[in-house]
Amino acid sequence: MTLPIITYPNKQLKVRSSEVIQFDGLLHQFLDDMFDTMMSSNGIGLAAIQVANPIRVLILCIPDEEGNQGKENLLEIINPSIHNPKGNTLYQEGCLSVPGFYEDVERYESLTLHYQNRHGEPCTLEATELLAIAIQHEIDHLDGKLFIEKLTYNRRKKFEKEYKKAQKEKK
Ligand code: QAP
Ligand code: CO
């Protein structure tokens, strides 16, 4: 089942999400719904708050070299924390909650991630490249932050102008 995605400037996107303590069937159904929602919107990452659920859950499905985005590449990440961040890198980011807008954002180049899987088991992951960037983007959602908040003053102004214009044209 797909869920509706909340878009900027909805204030719910600013909420700090809470730790997951119950790894039950309800959580598993929700993770499956998040996956359907992300796939049907052509996303590579989705945080629970983007579908109005303020819990520390995110999913990622980075396409492989052939561009395939199969469920075998799906990462379900719960209660994550970033360790040993290294280096810096620029990437043109987008977000399903800020549709149609893309801008360069600076992130750590590599990191170690501690998290729990859908069964509550502790996991560790070494991430670089697009995976490392996507992890940071999605964890920001759990803390109520959007990538547009990392833009310089001038680029943020450019965003507000372009986004408002696009919203008007949609109506
Ligand atoms: C987060 O973003 C991300 O504007 C995931 O019209 C972004 O899946 C991780 C999307 C950059 C790493 C690098 C955006 C789809 C999808 C749009 C997404 C749109 C349609 C964004
Ligand atoms: Co996003």
Side-chain angles (χ1 to χ4, degrees):
M1 187 180 87
T2 62
L3 304 165
I5 296 178
I6 289 177
T7 57
Y8 179 83
N10 190 312
K11 283 209 164 64
Q12 277 182 267
L13 290 167
K14 289 173 165 280
V15 169
R16 187 189 148 84
S17 297
S18 310
E19 302 277 315
V20 172
I21 43 175
Q22 292 215 74
F23 296 81
D24 54 11
L26 215 63
L27 177 71
H28 298 171
Q29 180 60 54
F30 176 67
L31 284 163
D32 294 344
D33 292 346
M34 279 183 74
F35 180 74
D36 293 345
T37 305
M38 183 176 76
M39 291 319 245
S40 68
S41 345
N42 301 312
I44 60 166
L46 186 70
I49 192 64
Q50 294 180 272
V51 291
N53 193 348
I55 58 174
R56 301 188 82 78
V57 169
L58 63 95
I59 60 168
L60 295 168
C61 200
I62 308 291
D64 65 21
E65 298 86 70
E66 282 106 64
N68 297 316
Q69 205 182 11
K71 209 165 183 173
E72 63 278 7
N73 296 321
L74 173 64
L75 280 170
E76 296 175 331
I77 294 171
I78 301 165
N79 300 334
S81 58
I82 290 174
H83 302 262
N84 312 314
K86 291 194 185 95
N88 288 98
T89 184
L90 268 188
Y91 191 85
Q92 191 174 52
E93 297 192 12
C95 180
L96 287 169
S97 294
V98 191
F101 186 82
Y102 305 85
E103 193 59 84
D104 280 354
V105 176
E106 191 173 87
R107 301 285 186 186
Y108 301 123
E109 197 168 26
S110 69
L111 56 88
T112 305
L113 190 72
H114 292 185
Y115 66 100
Q116 285 168 286
N117 65 14
R118 64 158 64 201
H119 306 293
E121 295 156 355
C123 302
T124 302
L125 172 76
E126 303 290 333
T128 60
E129 300 179 8
L130 186 56
L131 179 60
I133 293 163
I135 286 169
Q136 295 167 75
H137 176 111
E138 300 307 337
I139 289 181
D140 271 357
H141 276 299
L142 307 188
D143 295 326
K145 287 183 262 168
L146 294 176
F147 80 99
I148 50 169
E149 291 166 45
K150 296 179 69 84
L151 304 179
T152 61
Y153 180 74
N154 278 295
R155 286 189 186 263
R156 178 64 187 260
K157 277 209 302 202
K158 172 179 163 247
F159 160 73
E160 295 294 347
K161 203 173 143 197
E162 278 181 24
Y163 196 76
K164 272 183 196 142
K165 185 162 174 281
Q167 299 278 90
K168 264 192 208 161
E169 282 163 5
K170 259 203 267 176
K171 282 175 195 160

